[in-house]
Amino acid sequence: MEPALSLAVCALLFLLWVRVKGLEFVLIHQRWVFVCLFLLPLSLIFDIYYYLRAWVVFRLSSAPRLHEQRVRDIQKQVREWKEQGSKTFMCTGRPGWLTVSLRVGKYKKTHKNIMINLMDILEVDTKKQIVRVEPLVSMGQVTALLTSIGWTLPVLPELDDLTVGGLIMGTGIESSSHKYGLFQHICTAYELILADGSFVRCTPSENSDLFYAVPWSCGTLGFLVAAEIRIIPAKKYVKLRFEPVRGLEAICDKFTRESQRLENHFVEGLLYSLDEAVIMTGVMTDEAEPGKLNSIGCYYKPWFFKHVENYLKTNREGLEYIPLRQYYHRHTRSIFWELQDIIPFGNNPIFRYLFGWMVPPKISLLKLTQGETLRKLYEQHHVVQDMLVPMKCLQQALHTFQNDIHVYPIWLCPFILPSQPGLVHPKGDEAELYVDIGAYGEPRVKHFEARSCMRQLEKFVRSVHGFQMLYADCYMDREEFWEMFDGSLYHKLRKQLGCQDAFPEVYDKICKAARH
């Protein structure tokens, strides 16, 4: 009770301070106070509610019965929009602040909002090794259920609040992607409501053009109402090796070699400077060596990226056994390393022991409360980007990141990109090994200007046939965008399915040059 009482007293003092200083001043200059006193407790309440709701719904098996009715309700809304003259584009009615993307989608205010309340796991079929889920199911829900019954997704993206719909309509990646590809590549079927209100199911063999065009389309071909995703048997732990590497050439060589070894279930790199990194490789196992178990997900444990950095500082290799679900969400508590900019003392042992059980604040609540002034400050002085480039271009790419934005740590995650139709595929006819370079933080390059620096980085990514994740700010013009992405199948289906008057083009929905 003592931490809760202390929190209540601090909250009261904070309200008095806000009255004197003004809310905007506090949110900009002392945001950590607001986050600690209000957003952390509120985030915890949200998490408990949604966890209990998901557990009850699945145990009562009520989701499949309700699913059919909810889909019919979506169809009814779309048909009503058509009957009313199709005056504006359609979009999902989910508030923009609820998404994990930091981008603010203003189109929600002008488009017809179609309410889609689909947030349940519908079925787990262990014989077919398939899980069928609704689009708003989160990765936290998926891991909580699947790992409890001995199964997992081949690719399980990191943050708890990422949803299946976002990972399909956008994209998703994890340290197992060098074996299995992106999140879209473990999906076996999509169910959608199209622009005319009709229902369609698509697979690699049924309505295959639509199946391959849906990923990365950002909801501009139809409304996703369910997806079928492959599952694989899970084991209790990840046996994780940590190896510090120095020298850029040695880092790139080591990372490439480990990414090509399919006996590694997981491969990940954290780059702390241009010539200092820790490369991690892991395999799933049911046995843990005595004294080497590390439950990194416990609230009082150091943030994972700080724990990894210790191996670099002490210049030693390491071997640990990490519980599987805690490994999957190893960067969740610190939101990779973004939380250190919001709560500078968040990794302090005293804070972790007293308040770590409430961490992290939900990204959606951070967005909701940031205000226009803070949003603009973040836009101009903060970078959150994932660029996907061929592995053979890694060294050149890291030099470019250093010169254009100079943000560290950098996340390195390898993935295999199959040669399939759609917006994203390799330049040739064969699968190619790529790497996701994730940069999150405050740029340290002199005279950083968001638009010019990011356009320079986007230009490099296009030149090596790479791709930019579309959750982030995109500064390309229309011609540059369609130079990066293959729009041939996408535009064909937009015309064929009557999407041109129903949904905005993906470029108009996500690129800053097109948004007003």
Side-chain angles (χ1 to χ4, degrees):
M1 285 295 293
E2 286 186 12
L5 184 61
S6 301
L7 205 61
V9 172
C10 291
L12 182 60
L13 293 173
F14 174 77
L15 290 173
L16 293 173
W17 185 36
V18 167
R19 186 167 183 176
V20 174
K21 286 288 190 179
L23 183 59
E24 186 176 36
F25 175 89
V26 173
L27 288 180
I28 293 174
H29 298 284
Q30 304 293 338
R31 197 179 187 204
W32 64 267
V33 181
F34 182 76
V35 169
C36 290
L37 296 183
F38 293 97
L39 296 194
L40 287 182
L42 195 56
S43 298
L44 182 66
I45 293 169
F46 265 62
D47 285 337
I48 292 171
Y49 167 75
Y50 281 112
Y51 174 80
L52 291 175
R53 182 197 175 280
W55 186 87
V56 169
V57 166
F58 189 79
R59 294 301 171 190
L60 295 179
S61 299
S62 60
R65 296 196 303 270
L66 296 171
H67 176 74
E68 302 290 335
Q69 178 56 48
R70 288 170 179 163
V71 170
R72 286 194 294 270
D73 181 61
I74 295 166
Q75 290 179 290
K76 180 183 176 184
Q77 293 179 70
V78 173
R79 286 167 182 155
E80 286 175 351
W81 165 82
K82 283 183 69 67
E83 290 168 3
Q84 293 166 4
S86 312
K87 296 175 183 177
T88 62
F89 289 138
M90 291 183 289
C91 66
T92 64
R94 190 185 189 208
W97 61 268
L98 275 175
T99 64
V100 172
S101 168
L102 297 180
R103 186 176 58 248
V104 177
K106 296 182 179 179
Y107 59 87
K108 296 277 186 182
K109 297 177 181 177
T110 57
H111 294 181
K112 170 65 176 177
N113 282 215
I114 304 297
M115 301 310 297
I116 298 179
N117 183 30
L118 299 170
M119 58 179 68
D120 296 314
I121 297 173
L122 299 173
E123 180 186 8
V124 179
D125 189 331
T126 55
K127 288 184 179 178
K128 293 182 180 178
Q129 298 195 1
I130 291 292
V131 60
R132 183 167 174 255
V133 299
E134 293 179 331
L136 295 181
V137 167
S138 70
M139 290 300 99
Q141 280 176 264
V142 170
T143 51
L145 175 66
L146 290 184
T147 55
S148 71
I149 58 175
W151 293 85
T152 187
L153 299 184
V155 176
L156 208 153
E158 169 64 37
L159 299 178
D160 280 20
D161 290 341
L162 292 170
T163 63
V164 168
L167 295 168
I168 290 171
M169 291 297 184
T171 194
I173 193 170
E174 185 44 89
S175 54
S176 56
S177 288
H178 67 295
K179 286 170 65 75
Y180 299 105
L182 298 172
F183 191 82
Q184 69 205 57
H185 300 126
I186 64 168
C187 296
T188 60
Y190 306 129
E191 297 172 19
L192 299 106
I193 303 300
L194 301 180
D196 62 357
S198 63
F199 171 88
V200 66
R201 184 176 187 271
C202 54
T203 71
S205 58
E206 176 188 6
N207 298 309
S208 59
D209 279 357
L210 183 58
F211 178 82
Y212 289 116
V214 162
W216 295 74
S217 66
C218 298
T220 59
L221 293 173
F223 295 111
L224 184 70
V225 294
E228 293 176 13
I229 310 168
R230 280 199 295 142
I231 59 175
I232 58 174
K235 295 187 177 180
K236 292 180 180 179
Y237 308 106
V238 173
K239 180 181 178 181
L240 194 63
R241 295 186 180 276
F242 303 80
E243 185 173 344
V245 186
R246 286 179 167 79
L248 182 58
E249 188 172 342
I251 291 169
C252 295
D253 182 60
K254 172 71 173 175
F255 186 73
T256 302
R257 286 201 320 273
E258 296 296 349
S259 301
Q260 292 168 337
R261 295 178 60 202
L262 297 185
E263 57 266 37
N264 287 327
H265 296 165
F266 306 99
V267 179
E268 174 184 27
L270 292 184
L271 197 73
Y272 292 90
S273 71
L274 190 60
D275 58 0
E276 292 183 313
V278 178
I279 308 299
M280 288 159 279
T281 56
V283 294
M284 283 196 285
T285 178
D286 281 324
E287 304 295 333
E289 295 178 38
K292 293 187 178 180
L293 178 63
N294 184 5
S295 298
I296 59 171
C298 294
Y299 68 88
Y300 52 83
K301 289 280 189 173
W303 289 345
F304 184 70
F305 80 97
K306 288 293 188 183
H307 173 64
V308 173
E309 190 176 18
N310 283 333
Y311 284 103
L312 187 66
K313 289 179 176 179
T314 56
N315 197 31
R316 62 186 176 88
E317 297 182 9
L319 175 65
E320 298 177 359
Y321 292 81
I322 300 172
L324 179 63
R325 186 165 188 252
Q326 295 188 17
Y327 172 80
Y328 281 138
H329 300 293
R330 62 200 177 280
H331 293 298
T332 293
R333 287 191 301 126
S334 56
I335 317 178
F336 281 86
W337 28 95
E338 289 280 73
L339 197 55
Q340 66 181 351
D341 292 333
I342 299 170
I343 307 176
F345 47 83
N347 194 47
N348 183 284
I350 297 173
F351 180 86
R352 293 200 312 264
Y353 275 90
L354 289 178
F355 304 112
W357 48 278
M358 292 190 290
V359 168
K362 296 190 86 63
I363 295 173
S364 55
L365 294 180
L366 290 171
K367 284 174 63 178
L368 180 64
T369 59
Q370 69 180 358
E372 188 64 18
T373 303
L374 189 59
R375 186 188 68 78
K376 288 180 178 178
L377 282 172
Y378 260 78
E379 189 176 289
Q380 289 301 318
H381 304 289
H382 199 85
V383 166
V384 179
Q385 291 284 348
D386 283 86
M387 299 294 189
L388 316 180
V389 301
M391 184 69 79
K392 62 189 177 187
C393 303
L394 176 58
Q395 187 167 339
Q396 183 185 2
L398 292 176
H399 273 297
T400 304
F401 269 71
Q402 164 92 357
N403 295 335
D404 288 347
I405 56 175
H406 199 274
V407 170
Y408 292 100
I410 280 177
W411 189 52
L412 300 178
C413 185
F415 68 98
I416 190 71
L417 185 60
S419 181
Q420 295 176 347
L423 286 161
V424 171
H425 56 74
K427 192 172 185 179
D429 295 329
E430 296 181 356
E432 185 173 352
L433 191 62
Y434 271 63
V435 57
D436 174 7
I437 303 176
Y440 326 116
E442 186 176 343
R444 285 178 279 173
V445 67
K446 286 185 178 180
H447 312 300
F448 175 80
E449 197 279 318
R451 186 178 184 278
S452 60
C453 290
M454 288 313 307
R455 280 188 54 78
Q456 191 69 21
L457 193 56
E458 290 168 347
K459 181 180 179 182
F460 166 77
V461 173
R462 291 196 306 275
S463 73
V464 296
H465 197 72
F467 309 95
Q468 180 179 21
M469 282 198 184
L470 300 182
Y471 76 86
D473 283 333
C474 175
Y475 293 84
M476 291 181 282
D477 62 33
R478 194 178 302 273
E479 183 179 349
E480 292 166 340
F481 182 85
W482 291 118
E483 179 188 338
M484 178 178 284
F485 297 97
D486 181 357
S488 54
L489 179 61
Y490 172 78
H491 289 302
K492 170 190 163 186
L493 281 169
R494 290 258 306 164
K495 185 175 181 181
Q496 184 179 311
L497 299 174
C499 297
Q500 292 162 325
D501 295 324
F503 306 105
E505 186 183 291
V506 61
Y507 174 80
D508 295 310
K509 192 170 182 180
I510 62 97
C511 284
K512 292 186 74 67
R515 286 184 279 127
H516 303 288

